[in-house]
Amino acid sequence: SQKIEQNSEALNIQEGKTATLTCNYTNYSPAYLQWYRQDPGRGPVFLLLIRENEKEKRKERLKVTFDTTLKQSLFHITASQPADSATYLCALDAGGGNKLTFGTGTQLKVEL
Amino acid sequence: GAVVSQHPSRVICKSGTSVKIECRSLDFQATTMFWYRQFPKKSLMLMATSNEGSKATYEQGVEKDKFLINHASLTLSTLTVTSAHPEDSSFYICSATQPGLAGEVDEQFFGPGTRLTVL
């Protein structure tokens, strides 16, 4: 069966450190993968998109990698800040028409 | 950036009543809108894809007579939960896509969500 797995346990890190979140998928062949941020009681906000032929994408303090052999994407936040505390969701293209399938998300907490 | 609004943000209703949720793209025309529901600490689950002027396409397991979707204009889609029951209580989120360049992935802009509680 198809699965998208993210760490269900919350990730707590210290301010200034790099946070690394994992997204693993099985039985998908996505053309692209996206990462979103979701704050409590709010809708997701788009962060980054990476295509299957791209190994790495960066945007300011964010970096995403995509390994189609391992079927894994890593999401990094460098120099993390308390304001980065949120739930981060990965999403795969679900076979066209811009449909997305989301992972369960990982809650990140950056502590002072 | 593109903004999507939802109304209402919260609604509490009695079991058996119907509730309408609006999703609007405020500064762009959305050819496609998506409706999701999300349970606490769970992922977003796609319910249906809504294209302006045509019938919505529902995901497997989603009752189309229960969740009525109307996409009457390029800036408005509505989701009506008919004969709501407590198990319909959830966080409903819409998203809208703005057509981009040919061959590019259309970015999805999400609304702030609507918290539905059915008593």
Side-chain angles (χ1 to χ4, degrees):
Chain A
S1 62
Q2 293 178 316
K3 280 194 297 186
I4 304 172
E5 293 179 306
Q6 295 183 252
N7 281 357
S8 57
E9 293 182 16
L11 178 63
N12 294 344
I13 65 165
Q14 236 180 347
E15 183 180 21
K17 301 289 185 185
T18 296
T20 298
L21 285 68
T22 305
C23 176
N24 294 298
Y25 58 92
T26 53
N27 294 321
Y28 282 101
S29 296
Y32 58 86
L33 184 148
Q34 301 184 23
W35 282 89
Y36 288 81
R37 170 185 172 137
Q38 186 176 25
D39 290 285
R42 308 293 294 173
V45 174
F46 171 79
L47 296 174
L48 280 168
L49 177 151
I50 187 164
R51 296 184 182 279
E52 60 178 338
N53 60 349
E54 297 175 314
K55 296 289 186 189
E56 183 179 297
K57 205 84 170 274
R58 290 176 186 260
K59 179 182 176 183
E60 297 172 353
R61 293 184 297 112
L62 308 180
K63 184 177 88 171
V64 171
T65 63
F66 193 9
D67 189 326
T68 54
T69 302
L70 290 178
K71 296 188 181 297
Q72 180 182 79
S73 175
L74 299 179
F75 176 79
H76 307 272
I77 305 175
T78 58
S80 59
Q81 305 164 1
D84 295 327
S85 299
T87 295
Y88 291 86
L89 304 161
C90 68
L92 307 180
D93 88 277
N98 294 302
K99 285 171 56 171
L100 295 174
T101 301
F102 282 84
T104 51
T106 298
Q107 186 177 2
L108 172 67
K109 186 173 181 182
V110 181
E111 299 165 332
L112 292 170
Chain B
V3 178
V4 175
S5 71
Q6 280 184 244
H7 178 79
S9 58
R10 289 178 177 271
V11 57
I12 300 172
C13 69
K14 291 183 180 179
S15 189
T17 61
S18 294
V19 174
K20 181 186 283 189
I21 302 169
E22 292 185 349
C23 177
R24 291 182 187 273
S25 56
L26 297 186
D27 49 3
F28 67 100
Q29 292 187 326
T31 49
T32 304
M33 289 183 171
F34 299 92
W35 286 97
Y36 298 83
R37 67 186 298 183
Q38 186 177 32
F39 293 104
K41 297 191 184 297
K42 297 291 185 183
S43 183
L44 279 76
M45 286 179 49
L46 180 64
M47 299 174 66
T49 303
S50 169
N51 291 298
E52 185 264 340
S54 61
K55 288 185 179 179
T57 303
Y58 290 82
E59 294 300 302
Q60 194 172 12
V62 178
E63 300 174 58
K64 61 181 181 182
D65 295 330
K66 172 77 172 173
F67 299 100
L68 299 179
I69 291 172
N70 185 285
H71 194 156
S73 77
L74 284 171
T75 59
L76 174 65
S77 176
T78 59
L79 168 68
T80 301
V81 183
T82 61
S83 187
H85 288 95
E87 58 265 30
D88 298 324
S89 298
S90 188
F91 192 51
Y92 291 87
I93 308 173
C94 72
S95 71
T97 59
Q98 182 180 22
L101 298 173
E104 292 293 320
V105 176
D106 296 340
E107 184 175 338
Q108 284 194 37
F109 301 94
F110 284 81
T114 297
R115 173 76 57 196
L116 170 64
T117 303
V118 185
L119 302 176

